[in-house]
Each structure stands twice: as C-alpha cells, then as structure tokens.
Amino acid sequence: MGASDPEVVLWTCCGAGGMVGAGLGTAGDEPAAPPGARGWGSQPPRPPQPPSRGVEAAAAAALGTGDSSVTTEALFLALGAGVTALSHPLFYVKLLIQVGHEPLPPTVGTNVLGRKVFYLPNFFTYARHIVQVDGKRGLFRGLSPRLMSSALSTLSRGSVKKAFPLEEIEHVSNKDDMKTSLRKVVKETSHEMVMQCVSRVLSHPLHVISMRCMVQFVGREVKYSGVLSSIGKIFKEEGLLGFFVGLIPHLLGDVVFLWGCNLLAHFINVYLVDDSFSQALAVRSYTKFVMGIAVSMLTYPFLLVGDLMAVNNCGLLAGLPPYSPVFKSWIHCWRYLSMQGQLFRGSSLLFRRISTASSFSID
C-alpha cells in the first residue's frame, strides 16, 4: 500500500480540479481561455486535501474577482457544503485507516502473478461496517465541524485575496516568454501560499475538533459531542495550543506542494515541451495537473502526520497505545511511522494489499 497506487490518483483528482487535496489542477483558470493559452494562470494548484477543496478553491477565486455579491458568496458556500457532505464518508473511512483502526480481518487474494496476498477491507467494505455499527447516520460523524472548517477556509481565502490582490500578470503565450517568466511564477505561488497558510491557520481548530469527533468510533467514546463543548474541553485540558496540534506538518505539506508543483510544471513547460510540437499548447495546459498528482503523492506523509497529531494523546483510544504511541512532536511521529514503513498508511482506499510478512499468516 503506497501513494503510487492507481486509486490514490483517483481520490486526489477529486479535489480542486486535480489533486487539489490533494488538490490538483487549476481551479482558478478561466474556462474561456483556449488550451495552453495562459501558460501560467493567476491561480496555482491547491495543496492536497479532501474533495471539497476543489469547490472551496472555485469559491475563493470568485470572491476575489470583484463580482462578490452576497448571493454569489452564499451560492459558493452552499455548493462547497454539499460537496463536503457528500465526500465525508470517504474522508471518515480514510481517517480511521490512518489511525490504524482495522476492525475487519484481511482476506486472501492473488496478484497478477498468481501469488497469494492479503487484502485489507477496501473503502466500501469498511463503510458497510460503519453502517452496521452506527447506522447510515454514522457515516457522517464529525460532519458539522468539518462543514464549518470548509466555510471558514473559503471565506478566509476570499478575504485575503481581496485584502492583498495580486496585480494582473501578463499571460505567457510562447516559449520565449516562458523562459523569462520564473519571476512571475514565484510571485503567483507566493501569493497563493499566503492565502493557503492563512486559511489553514484559521480553519485548523475546527479541523482538530472534526478529527477527534470521528476517531471516537474506535473506542466508542462521546467526549467530543458538539463544537462548543469540544472547544471548552480542548481549551480546559490543553490550552490554546491544543487547537493547533498537527498544524505545522499540514502547513509544510501545503507549501511543499505549491512550490513543487508550480516550479516543476514551469520548468517542464519551458525546457521539455518544444514549440515545434503541434500539440505543445495542449500539453502545457495539462502539465500542472499531472505534476500536482505526482507531488501530492510525495507530500501525503505530511497530511498523515498532521492528522495523527491532531488526535494523539487527547484522551481518546485512537490516540493512545496500543493504537499509537504518545508522540512528543510531529517529528517524533514522522520517525516512528518511517521506521514502521507506514508513512503512506491510508493513501490507498481500494486495493489495500499487505505484506505476507505481516502478523497474519496464510493457511
């Protein structure tokens, strides 16, 4: 099981037009522009996140264009809430896998070479188990704080974009221009990075609450039952810093994704795509999408570590031994997962193959 599994690309492509959350794509691009005509648009791809980030990205772009009426803002928020709600079961199952909760035994199957391998339950089997335990409503545990986090993220991105607008940058239309456009790429990415970091910081407390509400499935706890009561519990037990556990790896993942994806796409478009190629413009228009998928696979460990730190040692079974050691820092968590070969745990949701060298044995 790893980030290079084909289904990982499927999940990540559900984001902002691409990974975009793993977010790939160019959600801010103008649909009327011909393929490749823009070279580098004013909106770099969004960092890896759940599928709802795509709608959030579109909403953020619209909120900063000057045509930000109350009706338009409400429409984008409602659309974002709908996508977040629909994608929540996927997000929920993925989180339970990330914390190492495997309530169902593996099954024996064969690979393409005919060898016996173990497969852990996929998303659909896992979701059916949740329904059997908690009913269909159980698939939406922790949805309320996640909806609030999504809305706050969208509004904060739009507010930052309006407060610090990026000046109009001339579109790059040919290879000669693209060779001198690195400064523009850096400027665009820096602007997007500021918006993403501000959005992440403001919405992270609600993200933490949502994570903790969901992992209560593991120990059947009811400690975190509502947003307001959860805020009170976290502040009382952990102080203000308790709302920001796991923030640093998420921020680092966002920054690495943005810069890695945008710079790689820029250099590929400049030095590897020749203007003499008849489909050069079309190829360049898809470069960021492809690079976003690749970079999202590499930055997945940041997402995993951030989510694990959000629930670690918070009084819930999922964040305590034997499910997880008590980590001193996110670096400690990273090193532990690396030693266990688990830095990509949860990245695959369909074909979850495990090694025959594990604790399970084939009869």
Side-chain angles (χ1 to χ4, degrees), residues 1-12 119 293 297 344-354:
M1 177 176 65
S4 59
D5 293 335
E7 64 271 20
V8 178
V9 177
L10 174 63
W11 302 130
T12 56
Y119 288 98
I293 296 176
M297 297 175 183
F344 293 95
R345 184 170 67 195
S347 63
S348 176
L349 294 178
L350 290 181
F351 302 104
R352 305 178 56 219
R353 191 179 69 178
I354 60 176

Side-chain angles (χ1 to χ4, degrees), residues 3-4 8 12 19-24 46-49 94 98 200 248-261 264 291-307 330 334 343-345 347:
S4 59
V8 178
T12 56
M19 159 178 150
V20 194
L24 300 191
R46 307 299 193 255
Q49 293 300 330
K94 184 170 186 175
Q98 286 179 331
R200 174 72 71 181
I248 293 178
H250 274 298
L251 286 175
L252 289 176
D254 291 347
V255 171
V256 171
F257 175 84
L258 284 170
W259 285 99
C261 178
L264 281 174
M291 287 300 98
I293 296 176
V295 176
S296 73
M297 297 175 183
L298 298 177
T299 57
Y300 178 81
F302 289 101
L303 174 67
L304 173 62
V305 172
D307 287 345
W330 71 270
W334 184 293
L343 275 175
F344 293 95
R345 184 170 67 195
S347 63

Side-chain angles (χ1 to χ4, degrees), residues 33-294:
R38 300 185 63 190
W40 273 95
S42 59
Q43 292 293 326
R46 307 299 193 255
Q49 293 300 330
S52 62
R53 289 299 185 193
V55 176
E56 294 174 15
L63 294 178
T65 58
D67 184 23
S68 53
S69 65
V70 175
T71 302
T72 303
E73 293 185 16
L75 176 62
F76 277 111
L77 285 173
L79 182 60
V83 174
T84 298
L86 291 175
S87 66
H88 190 74
L90 171 66
F91 191 89
Y92 183 21
V93 170
K94 184 170 186 175
L95 177 64
L96 293 179
I97 294 173
Q98 286 179 331
V99 299
H101 184 54
E102 298 292 349
L104 302 174
T107 57
V108 180
T110 56
N111 58 18
V112 293
L113 299 178
R115 297 177 180 175
K116 288 185 178 181
V117 293
F118 282 116
Y119 288 98
L120 289 168
N122 59 26
F123 162 73
F124 300 102
T125 304
Y126 209 126
R128 283 197 297 269
H129 171 72
I130 295 175
V131 172
Q132 290 173 355
V133 174
D134 284 343
K136 293 182 179 179
R137 293 184 60 184
L139 288 173
F140 298 92
R141 181 194 294 261
L143 176 60
S144 296
R146 187 162 172 249
L147 287 173
M148 296 172 65
S149 176
S150 173
L152 183 59
S153 176
T154 298
L155 293 174
S156 60
R157 289 180 64 88
S159 298
V160 172
K161 189 170 184 178
K162 286 188 287 186
F164 304 98
L166 181 66
E167 63 183 48
E168 184 67 23
I169 297 179
E170 183 180 355
H171 296 326
V172 178
S173 58
N174 58 58
K175 191 171 182 178
D176 292 334
D177 290 337
M178 292 184 72
K179 288 181 178 180
T180 63
S181 66
L182 181 59
R183 182 179 60 84
K184 298 178 182 179
V185 174
V186 170
K187 188 172 184 179
E188 292 175 346
T189 306
S190 298
H191 185 258
E192 176 66 15
M193 181 181 66
V194 171
M195 289 195 299
Q196 178 61 28
C197 288
V198 171
S199 170
R200 174 72 71 181
V201 171
L202 293 178
S203 61
H204 193 74
L206 290 168
H207 176 76
V208 171
I209 294 174
S210 178
M211 298 294 100
R212 295 185 180 184
C213 288
M214 286 186 274
V215 299
Q216 289 182 135
F217 177 84
V218 177
R220 313 307 298 164
E221 299 104 336
V222 291
K223 181 177 180 180
Y224 299 95
S225 57
V227 175
L228 294 180
S229 62
S230 298
I231 291 175
K233 285 185 176 68
I234 294 176
F235 185 77
K236 181 179 180 180
E237 297 178 2
E238 304 172 52
L240 188 61
L241 293 180
F243 294 102
F244 298 96
V245 288
L247 175 62
I248 293 178
H250 274 298
L251 286 175
L252 289 176
D254 291 347
V255 171
V256 171
F257 175 84
L258 284 170
W259 285 99
C261 178
N262 288 359
L263 290 177
L264 281 174
H266 170 74
F267 288 121
I268 289 174
N269 283 339
V270 170
Y271 298 107
L272 297 183
V273 182
D274 198 303
D275 284 336
S276 61
F277 179 50
S278 60
Q279 299 296 321
L281 293 179
V283 170
R284 285 173 180 154
S285 68
Y286 287 102
T287 303
K288 279 201 287 185
F289 174 82
V290 176
M291 287 300 98
I293 296 176

Side-chain angles (χ1 to χ4, degrees), residues 308-326:
L308 291 182
M309 290 303 297
V311 301
N312 189 250
N313 196 27
C314 65
L316 300 177
L317 181 61
L320 295 170
Y323 281 95
S324 170
V326 176

